[in-house]
Amino acid sequence: MSLEEEAKLRVSHREFLSLLDGAGIRYQVGQPLEQRDVFYDFPDGRLARADVALRIRVEPGRTLITYKGPRVYSGGVKTRLELEGEPGSPEALEALRAVGIQPECEDVEKSLRLAGLIPIVEVRKVRTPLLLEGSDLHIYLDRVEGLGEFVEVEGPKEKVREFIVKLNLVDRSVRETYAEMLIRRPR
């Protein structure tokens, strides 16, 4: 069980890297990784109404089941409980139990269907990690299909807030998840 503390910034990667350069912050760009996230809910939308999410993330060589609890959003930083693990792990089972699911079989998607959950939205993105010299923050350059470019900054909330203030990006922070943005996007 852990707390996710992050700022999701609506900023182009070029502009973000330029801001880092201007602030004298040294960085290394990691290898891009394709991710496919499928978010589930009950047909009545009870998870969304409770401001929680259940996601299955697939990336090369790995699948993760994630529960995200209700969020607190303050000063550009979002904080929420996050339970995450590979299928069959104690963390994944805890994530499923958090939404009232007791897996009935090895196939997680089948267990979700049997429990009455349905896929609500799929988020496809390319995520590129950025390593900041001398920092324990986790930075990701995200290119989200249908939404464009974003930057996520994860770490202790005070350090995240200090970082986005330093780069003058607090007003570029968004409260919504990628899934919510895709659902609300005009068609």
Side-chain angles (χ1 to χ4, degrees):
M1 187 181 318
S2 66
L3 280 182
E4 174 186 62
E5 297 171 311
E6 72 173 17
K8 185 185 308 294
L9 308 169
R10 187 181 295 271
V11 60
S12 75
H13 299 164
R14 176 178 285 181
E15 181 182 352
F16 183 76
L17 295 176
S18 177
L19 289 168
L20 292 179
D21 290 337
I25 298 172
R26 297 172 58 103
Y27 58 87
Q28 291 180 357
V29 180
Q31 290 298 313
L33 179 70
E34 289 187 23
Q35 295 179 330
R36 182 175 64 88
D37 297 340
V38 179
F39 288 81
Y40 289 82
D41 201 343
F42 293 94
D44 63 6
R46 72 183 82 153
L47 298 182
R49 282 195 315 276
D51 192 29
V52 302
L54 183 66
R55 164 186 90 196
I56 296 180
R57 169 172 287 168
V58 178
E59 54 189 39
R62 183 162 90 146
T63 298
L64 294 169
I65 300 169
T66 308
Y67 164 84
K68 293 187 179 225
R71 68 199 121 179
V72 174
Y73 184 77
S74 174
V77 180
K78 178 174 43 177
T79 303
R80 63 196 311 189
L81 174 67
E82 182 177 71
L83 307 170
E84 181 172 74
E86 294 185 2
S89 71
E91 296 83 6
L93 294 173
E94 190 175 0
L96 294 171
R97 282 197 286 281
V99 295
I101 305 297
Q102 287 293 338
E104 297 184 28
C105 63
E106 293 286 321
D107 181 340
V108 176
E109 291 180 28
K110 184 175 180 183
S111 286
L112 296 179
R113 284 193 307 278
L114 289 171
L117 285 119
I118 57 174
I120 300 298
V121 65
E122 183 174 306
V123 177
R124 291 181 173 270
K125 68 178 175 286
V126 175
R127 171 166 276 187
T128 304
L130 199 67
L131 304 171
L132 299 186
E133 191 174 280
S135 174
D136 59 349
L137 293 174
H138 298 275
I139 313 284
Y140 303 101
L141 307 178
D142 288 343
R143 182 171 283 111
V144 184
E145 192 175 289
L147 296 176
E149 294 184 341
F150 292 82
V151 174
E152 285 196 8
V153 180
E154 295 182 8
K157 74 178 162 190
E158 290 310 316
K159 287 186 178 184
V160 171
R161 190 177 342 267
E162 189 178 292
F163 180 77
I164 65 174
V165 165
K166 179 177 185 172
L167 295 180
N168 198 27
L169 289 171
V170 175
D171 64 334
R172 306 288 282 281
S173 179
V174 293
R175 182 184 191 280
E176 290 182 298
T177 66
Y178 297 139
E180 290 167 331
M181 288 182 228
L182 283 169
I183 289 169
R184 292 186 177 104
R185 149 185 93 155
R187 306 258 173 220

